[in-house]
């Protein structure tokens, strides 16, 4: 098939798609694969060999990149399941350790399994002492995500005994290390920015309590963790723990497909998460709310968001997959109210502004027509700010929560047959031409 010929897809009754090349009438049968639930996929793996054509899908809006058993999203219905369990139930009833176990191993743990897993993780909460010195190479005013990328990437220089990806034991130890050390490194980036000493982890605390302890305790004063804030942090971590083949998870898989070690792959995921269209949106939401400043200015910003010639977008709105209310945003909104009530901050202008912006956007024809609903990042920033976490740390907290998801996907790929990820392209550059010496140009 050449680019001048048109091709159309037709749906036959059986489990195949028939591709017809209009100009020649040639047909190609493409197998259709069914998942447990959700849309079928057309298997195009042999398409190039049989037709000489690639598929073209920048942004991967119609492309399934892998088979997975971890997370399911129904974007139209606003459903998110981890290993089959609804996110709302996990956020309400589970804890982060259990969700990590569920994502990694596929089932909820028994009492004994959970206790063993907790011990395995807490065994790895400290980082090699030399990493403290590594931190000192960064400027104090570095963005914490810049520090995260560097320090997590550097873990492969410290933990050689867990970088053999062909060894299941190495893979398991690396997985536990990454989940455990991510919280410690996250807190260290904060302490470093303040110029305060690093605080060692406390293994008697739960994951989210320990994270808050490492961020807010000092050598001269213990931090007593408010249970409402610890619960909010736990929920934030659970809600962020996985989201199937999003940009950062796909980055982790692609990096891993070359055989790179897990620490390097997760560092790649952190880099991908940082962008404002992805995990950086929580920071961008808060900056946007502060820029809007008051309810009176909302119409002006809504107008800008709708203007094609203005790059401004309403941050925390819209999603590639959700064309309905993001189920995580609902839990976030509820948690936001709980936290602000607990802290006596219910009348905070920021929350009022966020709620008014949401109300106006949800009624606006542009947002309704394009199905742009609040996403997970819309309320998470308000909660994190109320807890006292600085805006630059928001995406770091997201990365800490997303780590089990990244690792579960990396493990899933490495544990089964896989090939290096290598997309092709539609080339539109110059055809072959001869080199012209400088004096002839
Ligand atoms: N404000 C205004 N218009 C928007 C917005 C928005 N937030 N989001 C999408 N649109 C418009 C967009 O201009 C486009 O209009 P048109 O069809 O007329 O050209 C249409 O809606 C579809 O947008 P898209 O950019 O093609 O959609 P996408 O699936 O490629 O992008 C998105 C999804 C999340 C990157 C985008 O909605 C966005 O930039 N949102 C703001 C950033 C944000 O909140 N990101 C967090 C996502 S959830 C957490 C995470 O992934 O980490």
């Amino acid at each position: 098939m050449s680019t001048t010929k048109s091709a159309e897809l037709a749906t036959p009754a059986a489990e195949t798609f028939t591709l017809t090349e209009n100009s020649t009438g040639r047909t190609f049968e493409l197998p259709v694969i069914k998942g447990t639930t959700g849309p079928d996929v057309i298997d195009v793996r042999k398409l190039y060999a049989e037709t000489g054509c690639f598929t073209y899908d920048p942004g991967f809006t119609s492309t399934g990149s892998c088979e997975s058993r971890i997370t399911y999203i129904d974007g139209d219905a606003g459903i998110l399941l981890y290993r089959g369990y609804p996110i709302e139930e996990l956020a309400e009833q589970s804890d982060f350790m259990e969700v990590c176990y569920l994502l990694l191993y596929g089932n909820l743990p028994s009492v004994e399994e959970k206790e063993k897993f907790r011990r395995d993780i807490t065994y790895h909460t400290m980082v090699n002492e030399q990493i403290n010195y590594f931190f000192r190479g960064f400027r104090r005013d570095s963005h914490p995500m810049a520090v995260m990328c560097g320090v997590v990437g550097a873990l492969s220089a410290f933990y050689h005994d867990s970088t053999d990806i062909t060894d299941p034991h190495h893979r398991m130890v690396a997985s536990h290390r990454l989940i455990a050390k991510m919280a410690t490194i996250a807190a260290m980036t904060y302490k470093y920015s303040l110029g305060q000493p690093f605080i060692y982890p406390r293994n008697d605390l739960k994951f989210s309590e320990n994270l808050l302890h490492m961020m807010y305790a000092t050598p001269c004063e213990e931090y007593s963790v408010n249970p409402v804030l610890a619960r909010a942090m736990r929920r934030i971590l659970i809600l962020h723990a996985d989201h199937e083949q999003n940009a950062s998870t796909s980055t982790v898989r692609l990096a891993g497909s070359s055989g790179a070690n897990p620490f390097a792959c997760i560092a790649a995921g952190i880099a991908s998460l940082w962008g404002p269209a992805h995990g950086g949106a929580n920071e961008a939401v808060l900056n946007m709310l502060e820029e809007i400043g008051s309810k009176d200015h909302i119409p002006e910003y809504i107008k800008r968001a709708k203007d094609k010639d203005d790059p401004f977008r309403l941050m925390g709105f819209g999603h590639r997959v959700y064309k309905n209310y993001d189920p995580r945003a609902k839990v976030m909104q509820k948690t936001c109210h709980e936290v602000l009530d607990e802290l006596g901050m219910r009348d905070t202008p920021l929350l009022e502004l966020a709620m008014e912006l949401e109300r106006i956007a949800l009624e606006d024809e542009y947002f309704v027509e394009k199905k742009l609903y609040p996403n997970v990042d819309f309320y998470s920033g308000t909660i994190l700010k109320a807890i006292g976490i600085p805006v630059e740390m928001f995406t770091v907290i997201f990365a800490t929560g997303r780590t089990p998801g990244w690792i579960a996907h990396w493990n899933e790929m490495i544990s089964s047959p896989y090939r290096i990820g290598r997309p092709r392209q539609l080339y539109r550059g110059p055809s072959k031409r001869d080199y012209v010496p400088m004096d002839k140009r």
Side-chain angles (χ1 to χ4, degrees):
M1 255 181 274
S2 79
T3 49
T4 54
K5 297 169 188 167
S6 67
E8 69 182 38
L9 285 172
T11 326
E15 307 288 299
T16 56
F17 252 73
T18 305
L19 184 69
T20 308
E21 188 183 49
N22 288 345
S23 55
T24 62
R26 275 198 304 163
T27 58
F28 305 92
E29 293 291 315
L30 298 170
V32 172
I33 307 175
K34 294 197 173 298
T36 322
T37 180
D40 300 339
V41 301
I42 304 166
D43 182 350
V44 296
R45 280 175 292 182
K46 295 209 173 113
L47 189 72
Y48 177 55
E50 290 183 4
T51 69
C53 280
F54 298 136
T55 55
Y56 180 62
D57 186 19
F60 309 127
T61 51
S62 297
T63 296
S65 60
C66 62
E67 181 182 317
S68 182
R69 288 170 167 71
I70 302 173
T71 289
Y72 174 72
I73 304 173
D74 181 335
D76 294 321
I79 290 171
L80 169 60
L81 312 174
Y82 293 169
R83 302 280 191 184
Y85 295 102
I87 190 65
E88 298 84 352
E89 291 179 23
L90 293 169
E92 196 55 50
Q93 299 174 49
S94 187
D95 61 38
F96 188 59
M97 271 305 91
E98 188 168 76
V99 168
C100 290
Y101 184 97
L102 176 67
L103 289 170
L104 284 183
Y105 301 113
N107 287 305
L108 290 170
S110 66
V111 174
E112 296 75 27
E113 285 165 337
K114 187 172 173 193
E115 179 48 24
K116 178 175 180 317
F117 184 67
R118 193 197 62 76
R119 267 188 280 115
D120 288 344
I121 297 295
T122 51
Y123 181 75
H124 292 292
T125 48
M126 279 203 302
V127 290
N128 185 303
E129 196 65 11
Q130 211 168 321
I131 289 177
N132 298 356
Y133 303 107
F134 189 77
F135 260 85
R136 306 228 152 98
F138 290 103
R139 285 171 54 138
R140 294 267 176 196
D141 63 355
S142 307
H143 194 288
M145 282 297 278
V147 180
M148 286 296 277
C149 288
V151 177
V152 174
L155 292 179
S156 45
F158 288 88
Y159 300 106
H160 302 135
D161 58 342
S162 54
T163 51
D164 178 0
I165 62 161
T166 62
D167 181 335
H169 182 70
H170 275 228
R171 295 205 298 268
M172 188 189 69
V173 174
S175 305
H176 294 169
R177 278 189 168 136
L178 275 157
I179 292 173
K181 294 188 198 305
M182 196 65 87
T184 310
I185 295 170
M188 287 170 88
T189 63
Y190 178 54
K191 287 301 199 190
Y192 188 74
S193 73
L194 295 179
Q196 287 186 7
F198 299 132
I199 296 297
Y200 286 101
R202 265 186 51 193
N203 289 350
D204 59 318
L205 295 178
K206 293 187 125 195
F207 192 95
S208 41
E209 291 171 354
N210 181 43
L211 175 59
L212 292 168
H213 152 78
M214 289 188 290
M215 287 182 72
Y216 294 116
T218 67
C220 13
E221 212 168 320
E222 200 27 83
Y223 173 74
S224 97
V225 183
N226 178 324
V228 176
L229 304 193
R231 189 176 62 189
M233 182 58 89
R234 189 196 77 209
R235 279 201 195 141
I236 287 175
L237 295 173
I238 292 174
L239 293 174
H240 285 106
D242 193 39
H243 215 228
E244 52 118 308
Q245 312 310 324
N246 57 84
S248 57
T249 303
S250 297
T251 302
V252 170
R253 278 186 180 259
L254 196 55
S257 77
S258 73
N261 76 69
F263 303 105
C265 296
I266 300 302
I270 294 172
S272 171
L273 185 76
W274 192 1
H278 192 10
N282 51 16
E283 179 175 346
V285 169
L286 245 278
N287 292 336
M288 175 190 76
L289 290 175
E290 265 155 20
E291 190 186 317
I292 295 176
S294 94
K295 288 186 199 172
D296 303 343
H297 299 146
I298 292 177
E300 181 195 323
Y301 281 84
I302 296 269
K303 194 167 159 226
R304 283 187 59 193
K306 298 193 295 195
D307 182 354
K308 284 274 155 256
D309 298 324
D310 189 329
F312 175 78
R313 281 188 169 198
L314 218 50
M315 301 313 286
F317 268 79
H319 198 276
R320 169 62 62 77
V321 185
Y322 293 117
K323 301 302 165 201
N324 199 327
Y325 215 107
D326 179 340
R328 302 168 300 171
K330 279 191 193 150
V331 182
M332 282 293 181
Q333 192 196 46
K334 180 171 166 258
T335 309
C336 186
H337 287 290
E338 280 172 19
V339 167
L340 296 178
D341 279 348
E342 169 69 15
L343 298 175
M345 293 167 67
R346 190 56 186 257
D347 298 329
T348 171
L350 207 62
L351 178 67
E352 285 182 5
L353 188 59
M355 285 171 57
E356 182 66 0
L357 184 62
E358 179 185 345
R359 190 189 66 75
I360 294 178
L362 287 177
E363 286 173 0
D364 189 284
E365 206 181 312
Y366 172 94
F367 288 84
V368 173
E369 192 193 303
K370 293 188 187 300
K371 300 187 174 162
L372 300 170
Y373 291 85
N375 59 48
V376 69
D377 292 314
F378 191 68
Y379 280 104
S380 62
T382 311
I383 305 174
L384 291 170
K385 190 173 162 74
I387 294 176
I389 292 174
V391 176
E392 310 77 59
M393 282 295 293
F394 289 3
T395 315
V396 170
I397 302 293
F398 190 154
T400 307
R402 182 55 54 88
T403 301
W406 287 332
I407 293 172
H409 283 273
W410 174 79
N411 259 312
E412 183 177 65
M413 184 183 72
I414 301 290
S415 317
S416 7
Y418 65 98
R419 299 178 78 185
I420 187 166
R422 181 30 171 118
R424 300 304 300 269
Q425 61 174 4
L426 172 65
Y427 178 69
R428 287 217 196 259
S431 307
K432 182 179 175 297
R433 49 183 170 166
D434 291 328
Y435 179 78
V436 182
M438 186 64 92
D439 60 346
K440 300 265 175 1
R441 283 177 220 164

